[in-house]
Amino acid sequence: AIEALQTDLLTKDRMAQIGMLANGFAHQFANIMNVIVSSSRILARRDLSPERVLKARESIDKAANFGKDLIDGISFSAKQNTEKKYLPLGRLVQISEWLVKGKLGERTHVVNEIPDNYQVFVTQTQLINIFMNLFGNSADAGAANIWVRVVDQVTVEIIDDGPGIPTDIQEKIFELHFTTKGENYGSGVGLSLALREAHEIEANIILDSNNTSGARFILQFKELT
Protein backbone atom coordinates (compact mmCIF):
# COMPACT_ATOMS: atom_id res chain seq x y z
CA ALA A 1 0.00 0.00 0.00
CA ILE A 2 2.85 2.38 0.82
CA GLU A 3 4.58 1.64 -2.49
CA ALA A 4 1.33 2.24 -4.36
CA LEU A 5 0.87 5.58 -2.57
CA GLN A 6 4.43 6.62 -3.40
CA THR A 7 3.96 5.68 -7.03
CA ASP A 8 0.72 7.66 -7.15
CA LEU A 9 2.40 10.72 -5.66
CA LEU A 10 5.31 10.50 -8.09
CA THR A 11 2.84 10.21 -10.95
CA LYS A 12 1.05 13.34 -9.75
CA ASP A 13 4.37 15.15 -9.57
CA ARG A 14 5.14 14.11 -13.14
CA MET A 15 1.76 15.54 -14.14
CA ALA A 16 2.68 18.77 -12.37
CA GLN A 17 5.87 18.78 -14.42
CA ILE A 18 3.84 18.58 -17.61
CA GLY A 19 2.00 21.71 -16.47
CA MET A 20 5.36 23.35 -15.78
CA LEU A 21 6.54 22.41 -19.28
CA ALA A 22 3.45 23.98 -20.81
CA ASN A 23 3.97 27.11 -18.74
CA GLY A 24 7.61 27.30 -19.79
CA PHE A 25 6.75 26.92 -23.46
CA ALA A 26 4.03 29.57 -23.20
CA HIS A 27 6.49 31.95 -21.54
CA GLN A 28 9.09 31.50 -24.28
CA PHE A 29 6.54 31.66 -27.09
CA ALA A 30 5.10 34.91 -25.71
CA ASN A 31 8.59 36.43 -25.71
CA ILE A 32 9.11 35.38 -29.33
CA MET A 33 5.80 36.88 -30.41
CA ASN A 34 6.52 40.14 -28.57
CA VAL A 35 9.79 40.55 -30.47
CA ILE A 36 8.20 39.76 -33.83
CA VAL A 37 5.21 42.05 -33.29
CA SER A 38 7.26 45.00 -32.02
CA SER A 39 9.83 44.64 -34.81
CA SER A 40 7.06 44.38 -37.43
CA ARG A 41 5.55 47.61 -36.14
CA ILE A 42 8.91 49.31 -36.49
CA LEU A 43 9.24 48.09 -40.08
CA ALA A 44 5.79 49.53 -40.87
CA ARG A 45 7.13 53.04 -40.33
CA ARG A 46 8.27 54.99 -43.38
CA ASP A 47 10.93 57.16 -41.75
CA LEU A 48 13.36 54.36 -40.90
CA SER A 49 17.03 54.48 -41.68
CA PRO A 50 18.59 51.46 -43.41
CA GLU A 51 20.31 50.62 -40.12
CA ARG A 52 17.00 50.50 -38.21
CA VAL A 53 15.44 48.35 -40.93
CA LEU A 54 18.36 45.91 -40.77
CA LYS A 55 18.23 45.76 -36.98
CA ALA A 56 14.48 45.08 -36.95
CA ARG A 57 14.84 42.34 -39.54
CA GLU A 58 17.67 40.75 -37.56
CA SER A 59 15.48 40.78 -34.44
CA ILE A 60 12.70 38.96 -36.30
CA ASP A 61 15.14 36.42 -37.73
CA LYS A 62 16.66 35.82 -34.31
CA ALA A 63 13.24 35.34 -32.68
CA ALA A 64 12.11 32.99 -35.46
CA ASN A 65 15.28 30.92 -35.18
CA PHE A 66 14.86 30.70 -31.42
CA GLY A 67 11.28 29.54 -31.92
CA LYS A 68 12.48 26.84 -34.30
CA ASP A 69 15.12 25.72 -31.77
CA LEU A 70 12.48 25.65 -29.03
CA ILE A 71 10.10 23.51 -31.09
CA ASP A 72 12.94 21.24 -32.17
CA GLY A 73 13.97 20.90 -28.54
CA ILE A 74 10.49 19.95 -27.40
CA SER A 75 10.17 17.48 -30.27
CA PHE A 76 13.59 16.10 -29.35
CA SER A 77 12.54 15.56 -25.75
CA ALA A 78 9.16 14.08 -26.69
CA LYS A 79 10.49 11.41 -29.05
CA GLN A 80 10.47 7.72 -28.17
CA ASN A 81 12.45 7.63 -24.94
CA THR A 82 12.59 3.97 -23.96
CA GLU A 83 15.95 3.43 -25.62
CA LYS A 84 19.25 4.46 -24.07
CA LYS A 85 21.69 5.98 -26.52
CA TYR A 86 24.52 8.48 -26.77
CA LEU A 87 23.16 12.02 -26.61
CA PRO A 88 24.80 15.47 -26.44
CA LEU A 89 24.54 16.52 -22.79
CA GLY A 90 24.83 20.24 -23.51
CA ARG A 91 21.78 20.03 -25.75
CA LEU A 92 19.78 18.26 -23.03
CA VAL A 93 20.78 20.91 -20.49
CA GLN A 94 19.66 23.61 -22.93
CA ILE A 95 16.30 21.92 -23.51
CA SER A 96 15.82 21.47 -19.76
CA GLU A 97 16.42 25.18 -19.18
CA TRP A 98 13.98 26.16 -21.92
CA LEU A 99 11.25 23.88 -20.57
CA VAL A 100 11.59 25.06 -16.96
CA LYS A 101 12.07 28.74 -17.84
CA GLY A 102 8.58 29.55 -16.65
CA LYS A 103 9.68 28.59 -13.14
CA LEU A 104 13.15 30.09 -13.33
CA GLY A 105 11.77 33.40 -14.57
CA GLU A 106 14.23 36.25 -14.99
CA ARG A 107 15.80 35.80 -11.57
CA THR A 108 17.61 32.48 -12.13
CA HIS A 109 20.01 31.82 -14.99
CA VAL A 110 21.57 28.54 -16.12
CA VAL A 111 25.21 28.77 -17.20
CA ASN A 112 25.72 25.80 -19.51
CA GLU A 113 29.44 25.01 -19.67
CA ILE A 114 29.12 21.56 -21.22
CA PRO A 115 31.39 21.10 -24.29
CA ASP A 116 29.58 20.47 -27.57
CA ASN A 117 31.26 17.10 -28.02
CA TYR A 118 30.41 15.74 -24.55
CA GLN A 119 27.94 12.86 -24.82
CA VAL A 120 26.34 10.53 -22.30
CA PHE A 121 24.62 7.16 -22.69
CA VAL A 122 21.14 7.83 -21.29
CA THR A 123 17.40 7.86 -21.80
CA GLN A 124 16.78 11.44 -22.86
CA THR A 125 13.45 12.31 -21.21
CA GLN A 126 14.51 11.01 -17.82
CA LEU A 127 17.73 13.04 -17.90
CA ILE A 128 15.77 16.15 -18.87
CA ASN A 129 13.47 15.52 -15.90
CA ILE A 130 16.51 15.25 -13.62
CA PHE A 131 17.88 18.60 -14.74
CA MET A 132 14.46 20.25 -14.54
CA ASN A 133 14.05 19.14 -10.93
CA LEU A 134 17.57 20.23 -9.96
CA PHE A 135 17.14 23.61 -11.67
CA GLY A 136 13.74 24.07 -10.03
CA ASN A 137 15.19 23.21 -6.63
CA SER A 138 17.90 25.87 -7.05
CA ALA A 139 15.35 28.46 -8.19
CA ASP A 140 13.12 27.71 -5.19
CA ALA A 141 16.14 28.23 -2.93
CA GLY A 142 16.64 31.71 -4.39
CA ALA A 143 19.72 31.04 -6.52
CA ALA A 144 20.55 33.64 -9.16
CA ASN A 145 22.89 31.40 -11.14
CA ILE A 146 23.23 27.66 -11.79
CA TRP A 147 26.40 26.29 -13.37
CA VAL A 148 26.50 22.94 -15.15
CA ARG A 149 30.04 21.66 -15.72
CA VAL A 150 31.89 18.50 -16.69
CA VAL A 151 34.09 16.99 -13.97
CA ASP A 152 35.30 13.97 -15.91
CA GLN A 153 34.11 11.51 -18.55
CA VAL A 154 31.19 10.23 -16.45
CA THR A 155 30.64 13.01 -13.90
CA VAL A 156 28.85 16.35 -14.11
CA GLU A 157 28.37 18.95 -11.39
CA ILE A 158 25.41 21.28 -10.90
CA ILE A 159 26.31 24.22 -8.65
CA ASP A 160 24.21 27.21 -7.60
CA ASP A 161 24.86 30.40 -5.67
CA GLY A 162 21.88 30.01 -3.36
CA PRO A 163 22.03 29.82 0.45
CA GLY A 164 23.17 26.19 0.41
CA ILE A 165 21.69 23.24 2.29
CA PRO A 166 22.06 23.19 6.08
CA THR A 167 24.12 20.33 7.45
CA ASP A 168 21.35 19.03 9.69
CA ILE A 169 18.98 18.30 6.78
CA GLN A 170 21.43 17.12 4.11
CA GLU A 171 20.71 13.45 4.77
CA LYS A 172 16.96 14.03 4.28
CA ILE A 173 16.78 16.03 1.06
CA PHE A 174 16.25 13.00 -1.20
CA GLU A 175 13.51 11.56 1.02
CA LEU A 176 10.02 11.53 -0.46
CA HIS A 177 7.88 14.38 0.95
CA PHE A 178 10.78 16.14 2.68
CA THR A 179 10.52 19.87 2.09
CA THR A 180 11.60 23.07 3.78
CA LYS A 181 9.04 25.14 1.87
CA GLY A 182 5.96 24.44 3.97
CA GLU A 183 2.93 22.29 3.25
CA ASN A 184 1.22 24.88 1.05
CA TYR A 185 4.20 25.40 -1.25
CA GLY A 186 6.36 22.33 -1.74
CA SER A 187 5.44 18.67 -2.28
CA GLY A 188 8.86 17.36 -1.27
CA VAL A 189 8.92 15.16 -4.37
CA GLY A 190 11.28 16.94 -6.79
CA LEU A 191 14.68 15.73 -5.56
CA SER A 192 13.28 12.31 -4.70
CA LEU A 193 11.95 11.99 -8.24
CA ALA A 194 15.27 13.20 -9.69
CA LEU A 195 17.15 10.53 -7.76
CA ARG A 196 14.67 7.85 -8.82
CA GLU A 197 15.01 8.90 -12.48
CA ALA A 198 18.80 8.82 -12.12
CA HIS A 199 18.74 5.26 -10.77
CA GLU A 200 16.51 4.19 -13.66
CA ILE A 201 19.19 5.29 -16.15
CA GLU A 202 21.94 3.68 -14.04
CA ALA A 203 23.20 7.03 -12.78
CA ASN A 204 23.37 8.59 -9.34
CA ILE A 205 22.98 12.02 -7.73
CA ILE A 206 25.11 12.97 -4.74
CA LEU A 207 24.98 16.12 -2.65
CA ASP A 208 28.45 17.51 -1.98
CA SER A 209 28.28 18.02 1.78
CA ASN A 210 31.65 19.79 1.76
CA ASN A 211 30.54 22.61 -0.50
CA THR A 212 30.55 25.83 1.52
CA SER A 213 28.90 28.19 -0.95
CA GLY A 214 25.51 27.35 -2.44
CA ALA A 215 24.50 23.79 -3.28
CA ARG A 216 26.59 21.38 -5.35
CA PHE A 217 25.06 18.23 -6.77
CA ILE A 218 27.18 15.59 -8.49
CA LEU A 219 25.57 13.60 -11.29
CA GLN A 220 27.47 10.38 -11.98
CA PHE A 221 26.76 8.26 -15.03
CA LYS A 222 27.57 4.59 -15.44
CA GLU A 223 31.07 4.08 -16.79
CA LEU A 224 30.90 2.03 -19.96
CA THR A 225 33.48 -0.70 -20.50
Side-chain angles (χ1 to χ4, degrees), residues 15-66:
M15 294 301 294
Q17 280 193 335
I18 292 174
M20 186 167 61
L21 292 181
N23 184 46
F25 180 79
H27 174 85
Q28 297 286 13
F29 189 73
N31 287 339
I32 292 169
M33 292 305 300
N34 285 337
V35 171
I36 292 176
V37 169
S38 61
S39 297
S40 298
R41 288 174 178 170
I42 291 174
L43 289 174
R45 294 169 52 182
R46 298 182 178 181
D47 58 343
L48 292 181
S49 66
E51 292 78 12
R52 289 289 303 279
V53 171
L54 180 61
K55 186 175 181 180
R57 286 178 175 174
E58 287 177 344
S59 295
I60 292 175
D61 287 342
K62 185 176 180 180
N65 287 331
F66 177 71

Side-chain angles (χ1 to χ4, degrees), residues 152 154-156 198 201-206 218-222:
D152 58 37
V154 293
T155 310
V156 172
I201 59 172
E202 297 183 279
N204 195 22
I205 303 174
I206 302 169
I218 302 169
L219 178 57
Q220 294 181 323
F221 300 100
K222 181 181 179 181

Side-chain angles (χ1 to χ4, degrees), residues 12 34 40 56 61 81-82 89 118 131 145 155 159 175 187 196 212:
K12 289 180 179 178
N34 285 337
S40 298
D61 287 342
N81 55 43
T82 58
L89 183 63
Y118 187 87
F131 280 119
N145 296 286
T155 310
I159 306 173
E175 293 180 4
S187 64
R196 176 169 173 164
T212 57

Side-chain angles (χ1 to χ4, degrees), residues 46-173:
R46 298 182 178 181
D47 58 343
L48 292 181
S49 66
E51 292 78 12
R52 289 289 303 279
V53 171
L54 180 61
K55 186 175 181 180
R57 286 178 175 174
E58 287 177 344
S59 295
I60 292 175
D61 287 342
K62 185 176 180 180
N65 287 331
F66 177 71
K68 180 181 181 302
D69 286 343
L70 181 62
I71 292 172
D72 288 346
I74 292 174
S75 298
F76 181 75
S77 66
K79 288 177 182 177
Q80 182 59 252
N81 55 43
T82 58
E83 180 185 356
K84 291 179 68 175
K85 53 187 175 181
Y86 282 102
L87 296 169
L89 183 63
R91 175 69 163 162
L92 298 180
V93 171
Q94 185 181 47
I95 293 170
S96 303
E97 179 190 4
W98 287 346
L99 297 179
V100 80
K101 190 63 178 178
K103 185 171 186 177
L104 300 182
E106 299 302 323
R107 71 186 188 279
T108 305
H109 304 277
V110 175
V111 183
N112 185 353
E113 298 183 0
I114 304 297
D116 292 339
N117 62 348
Y118 187 87
Q119 295 191 335
V120 288
F121 190 69
V122 295
T123 306
Q124 60 192 25
T125 303
Q126 288 177 303
L127 186 56
I128 287 173
N129 286 338
I130 290 169
F131 280 119
M132 286 175 55
N133 277 295
L134 292 175
F135 293 165
N137 183 73
S138 293
D140 287 341
N145 296 286
I146 306 167
W147 292 270
V148 186
R149 300 168 178 152
V150 170
V151 176
D152 58 37
Q153 189 175 358
V154 293
T155 310
V156 172
E157 62 179 7
I158 301 92
I159 306 173
D160 68 42
D161 58 2
I165 301 174
T167 305
D168 59 332
I169 66 170
Q170 288 182 359
E171 294 183 355
K172 302 178 181 179
I173 62 168

